[in-house]
Amino acid sequence: MNMATNSSINKYLPIALLYFFFNSFLLPHGLLYTTILTPLLLIWLYKFPVFKFIKHFLLILLPFVIVHVLNGVDLFYYLRSFIVLFSAFVFSLCLYQFLTECKTLRLIYKDILLINAPLVCFALVMLFIPSLKSEFWYTNEITTGIKSVRLQLFTYEPSYYSLLFVPIALYYYLKLLILKLPNPTTVFLLLTIPLLLSLSFGVILGIMLSLGITLLWGAGIFFSGKNFAAYFFIGFVILFMAIFILLQFFGDSVFVFRLANVFSGKDISFRGRTFDSFYLGWQIAGQKSIWFGCGFGQVKEIGTDIFNTFYNTGIYTTDNVGIPNSLGDTLATLGIAGVFLRLSLEVYFFFKTKVYSNYYRLSLFIFIFIYQFTGSFITNIAEYSIWIIAFHKNIFEEFDKVTIRNNKFRENR
């Protein structure tokens, strides 16, 4: 990676900066500029063939809407949530077309990585200015017994910020691991420091699992002509030493303390995003239809009492109730049929677009497939963006299985 900046400005960069850094800046919680701009996005999208998928989207959801209305819904919450989901779908189509049109995605990734670095430094300075600290940092009880501050920059939550960062992180981590990249230490730090500061364990562990599975998937090519057993042993030793150093010298850190709580089942956030989410999703769907769910936006209406009863508290209202897990949210909203439809589409597009033929797309697919069990929600455009990139052909050909195999073959001749 050449860390020098280009003299010319990429015409797509302002759009990317809006999406990555400022999409929720100065807006009420949950509202995005991409949602407000949906009518303009529809006008832009109309001239492209992908516009036809809007009809497919509406037809697929029609049976769910009919059942929901017959079972009774709060129209205000229902229509508002449906419009937000529709806007997320429109944005996803626009992103797909954007990836088709844009030939400078590598430059955009590099620019975002470089712009993010001084913003993180600026956020670190804001830690010492109480009146501005909350604009860049999220303070909460991250795990049982620990209250911490987490980096969110201009987004509304640390996990959302780190999820936005995933496509860039996996791109450069894979470059560091399987391709040659200048300034590897600098790039590694630019990627890793923001992720660690966000303390988003779901994202961090998801990235680690994704990279590990991807490397194992392509081990026969990445390590062709080499002693794979030796590389595996060296990697295991390095991992063991890293864990030993963490426990020995950083045992009292928030990172290690929370990791211990996650594995012991004491971490409130992790438990809430996994086991609790599926249980609550099942209970909420069952109030209307376990097969078709309670309907869009009805989690807030129906779930308040269920949440307060389950957690034995009275803090939950229609303003803060939500299932922080996209599969659990899908279960509550669209029932078993919705979960089946979701997983079926993921598997279908995995084979339809041959995700396995490109290691970058494969790593994204593995990450987001795992992450949907541990976080996000059904209207999260950061999640849909990862799905769209994973399913889009002809991007980052340097990660194509065929390309890497041919390069390795030439190296070993």
Side-chain angles (χ1 to χ4, degrees), residues 218-230:
I221 295 177
F222 301 147
F223 304 101
S224 60
K226 301 173 182 176
N227 190 336
F228 175 70

Side-chain angles (χ1 to χ4, degrees), residues 366-378:
I366 294 171
F367 169 85
I368 201 60
F369 188 87
I370 295 172
Y371 190 76
Q372 68 182 336
F373 290 87
T374 65
S376 191
F377 46 93
I378 62 172

